[in-house]
């Protein structure tokens, strides 16, 4: 969402985007640059940014035309459509919206332009923090994408629902067991409400890892990927324990019903109905959540400021830092097949200058990656939770930045779905995952 930011949006591809499959104006006119990005009912901030930048850029660059090509689709469909467009110079975009976890695999595929020379001459680049710069770096050490912002994840809970269940506030669970105890209390007091949500299953896509399994796994004593050995870890107890937590949550009826949870639009119910209507006690969600509830958001709910509470997600038994978070984010990249790469980078740079980055980060409730934006009073006062989620950066983790990660992630999503639906036990699902990982990366690239 951005789910890994937003889990989903409208599941149809726009006619404008479909037109790309056949032809692209950019292919016929080197003075036209095409900008391809995702847009959904719940995610319009990037469209608004580009609508603002387009006339400014064209005025500053006479003779250059900017064509905006939003793809109205959820994350999975957007990625599929973008990959199809990249197959040919006739359809490949000049600038595009790219999830950080796809950067390395798409660099390997030859879709992204090396930006080192452009960044060396861009004064604003020194404003970006080191972590953000790494998000767009590939295995060859070069940078291929520039981040729009980042995010962190934690627990969002309804104060009124927890109070009705007799839970003391502020709620600050110190272990997984404390989460289950609270969820059981909510279910006992209000059987008709969702006690706690952990995104699981394939329809939620990367959200099932970022707002689900990953928040559990990184709170165990094990890891998904051994960065020192550069090998994927199989056979870990932490993997089984994480699936067991999901099994308990769904098996005891504490989570949303599986058929609801496996609907790719469940996030809309969560933000638009369940929290405002007092129908859910808590969920793992991202720092962007206020963007839906604030004035002008998709599900305006001014009372969220008073009714919602937040807490850090605990490690399994409170060990280590005691809390865990995951960070992702999206970038802008220049297409390797662009016929006008200098104009394309200049558009990217204008879209991510201080003024535009500030507006986008506020509108989209993003964690700023530019130092001058992060210290701006307007950013710090944008919503009452921005400070809390910025502090979670101290305990956050990033997904393994490998080209094969998207395939591995798909196997994790499958494992969570097998457990939440009762098709497999945690041990069986973990074993199936291990076998799949070996098939993807080979025996020589796994460790126990």
């Amino acid at each position: 969402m951005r789910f890994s930011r937003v889990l989903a949006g409208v599941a149809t591809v726009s006619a404008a985007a479909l037109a790309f499959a056949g032809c692209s104006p950019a292919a016929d006119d080197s003075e036209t640059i095409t900008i391809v990005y995702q847009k959904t009912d719940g995610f319009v901030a990037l469209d608004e940014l580009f609508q603002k930048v387009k006339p400014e850029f064209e005025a500053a660059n006479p003779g250059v035309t900017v064509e905006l090509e939003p793809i109205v689709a959820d994350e999975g469909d957007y990625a599929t459509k973008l990959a199809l467009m990249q197959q040919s110079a006739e359809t490949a975009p000049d600038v595009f919206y790219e999830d950080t976890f796809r950067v390395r695999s798409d660099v390997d595929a030859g879709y992204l332009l090396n930006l080192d020379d452009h960044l060396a001459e861009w004064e604003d680049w020194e404003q970006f923090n080191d972590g953000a710069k790494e998000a767009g770096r590939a295995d060859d050490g070069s940078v291929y994408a520039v981040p729009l912002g980042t995010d962190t994840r934690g627990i969002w809970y309804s104060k009124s629902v927890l109070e009705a269940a007799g839970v003391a506030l502020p709620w600050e669970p110190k272990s997984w067991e404390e989460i289950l105890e609270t969820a059981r209390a909510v279910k006992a007091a209000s059987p008709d409400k969702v006690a706690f949500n952990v995104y699981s299953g394939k329809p939620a896509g990367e959200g099932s890892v970022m707002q689900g399994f990953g928040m559990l796994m990184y709170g165990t004593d094990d890891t998904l990927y051994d960065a020192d050995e550069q090998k994927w870890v199989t056979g870990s107890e932490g993997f089984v324990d994480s699936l067991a937590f999901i099994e308990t949550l769904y098996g005891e009826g504490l989570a949303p019903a599986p058929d609801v949870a496996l609907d790719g639009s469940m996030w809309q119910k969560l933000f638009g109905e369940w929290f405002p209507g007092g129908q859910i006690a808590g969920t793992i969600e991202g720092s962007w959540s206020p963007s839906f509830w604030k004035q002008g958001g998709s599900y305006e709910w001014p009372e969220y400021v008073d009714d919602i509470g937040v807490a850090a997600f605990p490690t399994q038994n409170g060990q280590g830092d005691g809390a865990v978070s995951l960070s992702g984010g999206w970038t802008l990249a220049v297409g390797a097949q662009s016929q006008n790469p200098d104009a394309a980078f200049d558009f990217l740079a204008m879209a991510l200058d201080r003024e535009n980055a500030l507006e986008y980060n506020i509108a989209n409730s993003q964690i700023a990656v530019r130092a001058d934006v992060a210290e701006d009073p307007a950013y710090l006062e944008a919503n009452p939770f921005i400070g809390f989620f910025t502090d979670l950066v101290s305990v956050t983790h990033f997904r393994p930045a490998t080209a094969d990660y998207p395939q591995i992630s798909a196997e994790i999503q499958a494992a969570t779905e097998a457990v939440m639906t009762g098709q497999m036990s945690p041990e069986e699902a973990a074993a199936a995952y291990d076998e799949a990982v070996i098939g993807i990366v080979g025996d020589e690239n796994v460790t126990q």
Side-chain angles (χ1 to χ4, degrees):
M1 109 201 357
R2 175 165 91 104
F3 264 35
S4 11
R5 169 193 168 339
V6 179
L7 279 172
V10 179
T12 57
V13 178
S14 71
L18 285 170
F20 254 105
C23 63
S24 167
D28 300 319
D29 183 357
S30 62
E31 297 304 312
T32 297
I33 57 173
T34 53
I35 317 298
V36 173
Y37 54 98
Q38 184 194 20
K39 178 182 178 183
T40 74
D41 289 342
F43 176 49
V44 297
L46 192 57
D47 184 59
E48 292 174 348
L49 170 66
F50 289 155
Q51 294 287 356
K52 172 180 179 289
V53 173
K54 171 181 161 63
E56 296 173 356
F57 183 84
E58 290 175 339
N61 297 272
V64 179
T65 300
V66 175
E67 293 206 346
L68 303 181
E69 296 288 350
I71 294 179
V72 183
D74 64 22
E75 288 185 11
D77 288 343
Y78 172 74
T80 299
K81 183 60 187 173
L82 182 59
L84 288 172
M85 295 167 68
Q86 301 280 20
Q87 299 299 309
S88 167
E90 297 292 315
T91 56
D94 294 285
V95 177
F96 54 96
Y97 183 55
E98 174 87 341
D99 198 333
T100 51
F101 87 94
R102 296 187 186 278
V103 168
R104 295 201 177 198
S105 58
D106 283 353
V107 168
D108 286 355
Y111 298 155
L112 278 66
L113 182 72
N114 186 317
L115 299 179
D116 286 351
D117 291 342
H118 289 91
L119 294 172
E121 297 178 358
W122 188 33
E123 292 182 357
D124 285 28
W125 189 229
E126 65 182 27
Q127 291 290 338
F128 287 72
N129 64 49
D130 290 341
K133 291 178 179 177
E134 289 304 309
R137 196 179 300 281
D139 293 335
D140 63 2
S142 292
V143 175
Y144 289 79
V146 181
L148 288 144
T150 188
D151 45 43
T152 55
R153 289 151 178 80
I155 296 173
W156 295 80
Y157 64 83
S158 167
K159 294 178 182 177
S160 59
V161 175
L162 290 189
E163 284 179 328
V167 178
L169 301 181
W171 183 43
E172 297 175 329
K174 303 301 183 187
S175 68
W176 295 359
E177 188 56 35
E178 288 190 22
I179 292 176
L180 292 175
E181 289 173 358
T182 298
R184 288 165 181 145
V186 170
K187 181 176 173 61
S190 306
D192 58 326
K193 300 184 189 300
V194 176
F196 197 78
N197 175 58
V198 172
Y199 287 100
S200 303
K202 290 180 281 189
E206 188 65 4
S208 287
V209 179
M210 297 297 282
Q211 288 92 250
F213 177 87
M215 292 287 284
L216 296 160
M217 183 70 203
Y218 282 96
T220 72
D221 294 327
D222 293 312
T223 185
L224 274 176
Y225 182 76
D226 188 320
D228 293 332
E229 290 191 53
Q230 295 188 340
K231 293 183 178 181
W232 290 91
V233 177
T234 58
S236 78
E237 184 59 36
F239 197 100
V240 175
D241 289 350
S242 299
L243 292 178
F245 182 90
I246 292 172
E247 180 188 52
T248 299
L249 208 59
Y250 283 90
E252 294 187 16
L254 306 174
D259 62 324
V260 176
L262 290 174
D263 183 335
S265 64
M266 189 191 76
W267 68 273
Q268 294 173 308
K269 289 186 172 64
L270 189 148
F271 285 111
E273 300 174 19
W274 292 352
F275 268 122
Q279 292 300 309
I280 186 171
T283 185
I284 299 175
E285 263 298 354
S287 47
W288 57 80
S289 298
S291 67
F292 296 108
W293 295 321
K294 68 180 184 181
Q295 184 176 7
S298 300
Y299 310 107
E300 285 189 17
W301 179 38
E303 294 80 8
Y304 88 91
V305 173
D306 298 317
D307 194 67
I308 289 292
V310 292
F313 193 82
T315 53
Q316 184 174 11
N317 299 302
Q319 73 270 38
D321 292 326
V324 63
S325 187
L326 282 178
S327 291
W330 288 72
T331 67
L332 295 182
V334 175
Q337 302 184 78
S338 172
Q339 297 182 31
N340 203 341
D342 291 340
F345 180 82
D346 289 346
F347 180 89
L348 178 156
M350 180 178 283
L352 297 179
D353 67 17
R354 183 182 184 283
E355 175 187 340
N356 290 322
L358 175 63
E359 289 187 19
Y360 178 78
N361 287 162
I362 290 175
N364 205 28
S365 297
Q366 287 273 286
I367 304 298
V369 293
R370 288 184 60 122
D372 50 4
V373 171
E375 64 187 18
D376 194 294
Y379 167 77
L380 295 172
E381 297 168 3
N383 75 64
F385 303 108
I386 194 69
F388 174 84
F389 280 92
T390 299
D391 289 345
L392 288 182
V393 170
S394 65
V395 296
T396 203
H397 298 263
F398 292 87
R399 292 163 289 186
T402 65
D404 45 26
Y405 174 78
Q407 293 176 270
I408 304 290
S409 173
E411 296 302 329
I412 294 172
Q413 296 162 35
T416 63
E417 184 167 317
V419 169
M420 70 182 285
T421 57
Q423 294 177 325
M424 291 185 184
S425 68
E427 291 78 9
E428 291 170 337
Y433 165 82
D434 289 348
E435 183 177 350
V437 169
I438 292 171
I440 293 169
V441 303
D443 277 319
E444 68 278 16
N445 291 312
V446 299
T447 186
Q448 298 233 339

